[in-house]
């Protein structure tokens, strides 16, 4: 599967873990792990919550298609 999100990168930049994010969102750590490895994608609604939790623009969580 193609990398569609940058969640793992943004978490690393902020020195936060998937476990921390899972706790903030009340999600299972395995779900967040799948998002971070791009094995599964969060819904747009969940992506908004993730962006709010990490205090970033939602666009920072998505791999750009144009350069």
């Amino acid at each position: 599967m193609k990398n569609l999100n940058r969640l793992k990168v943004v978490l690393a930049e902020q020195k936060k873990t998937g476990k921390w994010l899972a706790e903030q969102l009340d999600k299972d750590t395995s779900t967040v792990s799948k998002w971070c490895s791009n094995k599964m994608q969060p819904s747009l609604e969940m992506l908004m919550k993730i962006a709010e939790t990490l205090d970033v623009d939602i666009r920072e969580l998505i791999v750009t298609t144009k350069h």
Side-chain angles (χ1 to χ4, degrees), residues 46-57:
M46 182 54 65
L47 207 57
M48 291 276 297
K49 287 181 186 174
I50 294 167
E52 287 172 19
T53 302
L54 295 173
D55 194 30
V56 296
D57 188 295

Side-chain angles (χ1 to χ4, degrees), residues 5-21 32 35-37 50 54 56 60-61:
N5 76 62
R6 300 180 63 250
L7 188 50
K8 187 175 187 174
V9 175
V10 174
L11 282 171
E13 287 171 354
Q14 294 193 8
K15 296 179 175 47
K16 293 188 166 99
T17 64
K19 183 179 183 219
W20 174 86
L21 184 62
V32 174
W35 294 341
C36 288
S37 62
I50 294 167
L54 295 173
V56 296
E60 288 187 43
L61 299 174

